[in-house]
Amino acid sequence: MSGKKLRILQVNKAYYPHIGGIESLVKQYSEELGRFCGVEVRTLVCRDGRGGTYRETVNGVDVTRAGSLGTYFSCPLSLSFIRLFRKMAKNSDVVEIHVPFPLADAALLLSGYRGRVVVAWHSDIVKQKKLMFFYKPFMTHLLKRADCIITATEGHIKGSEYLTPYAEKCRIIPYGINPSDYLSIENAPILTEKCTYKDSVKVFFTGRLVYYKGVDVLLKAFRLVKGCELFIAGTGELEDELKAYSHRFGMEKKVHFLGFLPDRELRQAYADCDIFVLPSVVRSEAFGIVQLEAMVYGKPVINTDLPSGVPYVSLDGETGITVPPSDPKALAEAVNRLAEDVALREKFGKAAAERVKTHFNEENVISQLLGVLSDGRVMAALRN
């Protein structure tokens, strides 16, 4: 590098404090990459809501939030984003685009940028078929143009309708967390103190209450579960419907809706639960970082066998149990099996914590990412 910094541009729809799995990941990438010597990171996103462009420093990260005319089909509409992308990409050695984000695909096509392009493929667009009709040509151009496509698991490639022709470009780099950030919290009986029955096995779910998370399936399963209480952390469009279902079937004493939990309380809930469940029903759930957050505390995970990265995170029969999606009976059987077998929970939980430590450690993940972004040129760089 001859003393010249590697200039990285991170591109995504939104950035912290916007809440979302990809947004958390882009925040992690931006902050951690910026701690390497010889690396300069800038991040381009769209602002939340309508309004003009502004630039700020967020926890040491240079963030530009392009002005927006609003959000349509879950994608911001911003002419200034296209202008800013062209300007900022011109002064970058590598651009990492987090997709799906149709506006970024269009901006790259119109920018004339000739440098290195890395695509972070988080999931296919599953639900918005009308959008795909217009978006697919831009997406195809992006995939052809990309020097490398990063996916978090092999399941992202195998389960995608679009990545197979570009498999030779794909590089698997899992998402990662820093175990010490989680294990350093002070434990608190945040779930235990809410239990109706002191001997209940505590089953925990956290996530947005939207269709693809499968919380409706989880509630149906809980009608068949014995000796457990379910704790649901999160908000979303289905919240009232899910609460009404719980009330209709008389489950108020064993189903607890916690609403939004701040990070500290959320981590205490992970630590206090006995079983974590991710009952997602479609491949819009591409990975499930929440699995890692439960596993780091030594908790067994029940997940679903989706054609995505979900079952590659927590492994069936090793760190938990994998069941078919949208199958309340199978889900109930898995919960009951773990609830009745303390030794099995401990066995899976111990393996889960070790798997996070060895396969999903943030430090290793960021080093792999830097190698891809730089094409190996600055792997000898040391942290500041």
Side-chain angles (χ1 to χ4, degrees), residues 209 215-216 219 232 234-252 255-260:
L209 304 183
V215 182
D216 58 330
L219 287 180
I232 298 172
T235 60
E237 60 193 41
L238 297 182
E239 183 173 357
D240 290 342
E241 180 181 326
L242 295 168
K243 287 181 176 178
Y245 182 93
S246 175
H247 176 75
R248 184 161 69 250
F249 289 97
M251 295 193 292
E252 294 94 338
V255 177
H256 310 271
F257 289 87
L258 307 178
F260 170 78

Side-chain angles (χ1 to χ4, degrees), residues 117-186:
V117 174
V118 173
V119 172
W121 185 277
H122 299 293
S123 72
D124 292 8
I125 292 178
V126 177
K127 190 177 181 182
Q128 295 152 332
K129 299 298 183 183
K130 290 182 180 179
L131 176 62
M132 277 304 303
F133 178 80
F134 298 101
Y135 170 48
K136 191 172 181 179
F138 293 97
M139 181 191 71
T140 301
H141 172 266
L142 176 66
L143 293 174
K144 288 181 177 178
R145 170 69 177 81
D147 295 282
C148 181
I149 301 167
I150 297 174
T151 67
T153 71
E154 186 180 348
H156 283 71
I157 305 170
K158 291 182 175 180
S160 173
E161 294 183 14
Y162 311 108
L163 287 185
T164 302
Y166 310 98
E168 74 282 354
K169 290 186 180 183
C170 291
R171 170 80 181 273
I172 297 172
I173 301 179
Y175 304 148
I177 63 174
N178 184 349
S180 64
D181 288 344
Y182 291 81
L183 300 176
S184 62
I185 68 158
E186 181 181 351

Side-chain angles (χ1 to χ4, degrees), residues 37-54:
C37 294
V39 175
E40 175 184 286
V41 180
R42 293 178 301 162
T43 301
L44 173 63
V45 298
C46 290
R47 65 171 295 154
D48 285 341
R50 295 171 178 262
T53 297
Y54 65 100

